[in-house]
Structures are given as structure tokens and as C-alpha cells.
Amino acid sequence: MKRMAGLLLMFGLCLSAVAADADLRAVLADPAARQAAAEAGRKAAFFCVNCHGENGVSKLPEVPNLAGQNPAYLLEQIRKFGAGQRRDEFMQGLIKVLKEEERLQIAVFYAGQTPPPGQQEASQIAAGRLLYDKLCARCHGSAAHGSEVIPRLAGQHVEYLVTAVTRYRDRTGERLDPAMSSAVAPLKNADIKAVAAYLNSLP
Ligand code: HEC
Ligand code: HEC
């Protein structure tokens, strides 16, 4: 019986993810709807600004920039926090107060902003680029702009990137993605720092 309830819950979560994707696609395809969603999203994001910064560019190194992030990825991460499939004390609590509609509007709003590239040492950039091109570009793209379900990494904070990659590599449980964990398995700590510096420097 318990197993059955679990399966039904999983099925329900999948269905709501599929419906959210279809809604998002419809909004993105219509310029007027997109603009209206972005404006509503800016308002709905009024308390996200405290940590994620004005226009999604965060001043806190451990808090990710949301500016320019792919909207389907943002929506999926919000869903994951809500479902407990991604773990962070603050985010899991905060996401609960958002209505489904607000989640979508916030994702559209942040996706339309631009993160500024950071300044990094040339030697770190060069070392990081070699690793990135070899191990990461096939999924995250040559310019690290990602795609629908793959996150943009260009211009992201170094500290946040290092934490995220280390968590996937060491399978600590905050973030679950087997493909990411295998992809970053070969990286030493120094490699992770170099890749993060390279990514931060990208526009
Ligand atoms: C108290 C600070 C704080 C507030 C307020 C906050 N966040 Fe976050 N957010 C974080 C931190 C820290 C992380 C990174 C968690 C991790 O390391 O996995 C994060 C991660 C995220 C991510 C994942 C980004 C990525 O690149 O994977 C999304 C999406 C997000 N937040 C959306 C929101 C939204 C929407 C709001 C407002 C409703 C909000 N956050 C409010 C601290 C905050
Ligand atoms: C097989 C495809 C694939 C490869 C190869 C890959 N990634 Fe990923 N990456 C993903 C996916 C999918 C996600 C989102 C996973 C999730 O939902 O937690 C992700 C997430 C991330 C995140 C979290 C971003 C954020 O905003 O929180 C970072 C950082 C990252 N990848 C870095 C890398 C680096 C560095 C490499 C190369 C060493 C790499 N990835 C290789 C598919 C890949």
C-alpha cells in the first residue's frame, strides 16, 4: 500500500513537471506573454533579491547568480527544492510559499537578465579551459551557456561553482544527478578551482 502511494506520488510529480514545461514553452514562444510573465516575476521575486541580488546578480559568493540562467532549468531546480530532490535549508523552506504560476514567472524574469563576467588569473583560465573543453563542453556547450535542461555556467560565482561540483563529485546528497557525478569524478580539488575560474570569466 505504501509502495503504491509512493508510485502515485512519483507519477503526480512527473505529471506536474510535464505540465509546467508545456506552460513555460507557451509563454516563451509569445513575446507579449513573455514580457507580462517577466514583469510579474520581478514582483514575485521581491524577497529572492535579499540573497540573489538585484536582477539576479548575487553579491554573496555562495549564492548563485540567477541572471541569464535557462528558464526550464530554473523551474526544474525550484521543483527539485520543493520535492526534496535538491537539499538546501533556506531554499527548501522559501520555495514552499511560491504558487506554481509565480515559479514560472520568476524563472522567465531571471532568464531575461544578464550576469557580468568576472576577472580571473590568466593561468587559471587557461588550465580551466582545457579541462572544460575535454570534460564538460559536450553537455554545457562550448560557451557554457547550457541548454534547456542543462544549466548555464558562464559568469557564475567561483565559490558556488566549487561547492556544487564538489558535491556532485563526492556524492554528498545535496544534489543528485548521476551523469554530473560521473562527469566530474576525474577532477582533483585544484582542477575544480581552475574550471570554476574559467567559467566565471566567461560572458
Ligand atoms: C536566504 C538566502 C536566499 C533567498 C532569500 C533565496 N535564495 Fe535561492 N538560493 C540560495 C542559496 C544559498 C542557493 C544555493 C543552494 C545550493 O548550494 O544548492 C540558492 C539556489 C537557488 C536556485 C538554484 C540555482 C542554480 O543555479 O541551480 C534557484 C533557482 C533559486 N535559489 C531561486 C530562488 C528564488 C526564486 C527565491 C525567492 C523566492 C530565492 N531563491 C530566495 C539562497 C537564497
Ligand atoms: C552528461 C552531461 C554533463 C556533463 C558531461 C557535465 N554536466 Fe554539469 N550538469 C549537467 C546537468 C544535467 C546538470 C543539472 C543537474 C541537476 O539538476 O542537479 C548539471 C549541473 C552542473 C552544475 C550546477 C550548476 C548550477 O547552477 O547549480 C555545475 C556547476 C556543473 N554542472 C559543472 C560541470 C562541470 C565543471 C563539468 C565538467 C567537468 C560538467 N558539469 C559536465 C550535465 C552535465
Side-chain angles (χ1 to χ4, degrees):
M1 206 47 214
K2 236 182 171 170
R3 202 178 129 82
M4 195 62 198
L7 281 174
L8 279 176
L9 180 68
M10 284 284 286
F11 185 61
L13 287 173
C14 289
L15 275 187
S16 67
V18 170
D21 284 355
D23 289 351
L24 178 64
R25 241 175 253 131
V27 168
L28 293 177
D30 173 354
R34 185 177 183 143
Q35 203 189 337
E39 274 161 26
R42 180 189 290 279
K43 293 197 187 100
F46 70 94
F47 69 87
C48 317
V49 173
N50 291 320
C51 294
H52 290 284
E54 223 31 82
N55 300 325
V57 179
S58 109
K59 292 200 178 65
L60 307 167
E62 70 279 17
V63 177
N65 291 332
L66 302 180
Q69 189 52 276
N70 303 319
Y73 169 77
L74 285 177
L75 206 51
E76 173 63 5
Q77 297 305 304
I78 291 174
R79 190 194 63 75
K80 281 190 167 182
F81 283 127
Q85 289 164 349
R86 178 170 174 180
R87 294 216 291 271
D88 180 79
E89 205 189 331
F90 291 115
M91 285 307 308
Q92 284 181 266
L94 285 169
I95 252 29
K96 292 208 178 81
V97 306
L98 294 179
K99 296 192 204 92
E100 195 58 46
E101 190 187 22
E102 291 173 325
R103 295 180 177 197
L104 188 151
Q105 292 164 338
I106 287 176
V108 173
F109 162 63
Y110 281 126
Q113 311 298 312
T114 319
Q119 298 286 323
Q120 298 293 333
E121 266 176 53
S123 61
Q124 285 286 84
I125 293 179
R129 175 183 291 142
L130 283 178
L131 290 162
Y132 181 83
D133 287 349
K134 196 167 109 198
L135 299 171
C136 326
R138 72 186 161 96
C139 291
H140 289 277
S142 55
H145 286 187
S147 65
E148 213 166 271
V149 287
I150 310 257
R152 175 197 175 102
L153 304 172
Q156 189 53 276
H157 289 303
V158 170
E159 189 175 319
Y160 174 74
L161 289 170
V162 168
T163 304
V165 172
T166 308
R167 283 173 171 175
Y168 288 117
R169 185 194 63 185
D170 299 345
R171 298 179 193 255
T172 54
E174 283 95 346
R175 300 198 68 171
L176 305 171
D177 190 89
M180 255 304 292
S181 288
S182 337
V184 298
L187 298 179
K188 309 253 185 318
N189 289 347
D191 297 335
I192 295 179
K193 283 205 179 114
V195 173
Y198 168 61
L199 292 169
N200 175 259
S201 76
L202 294 176

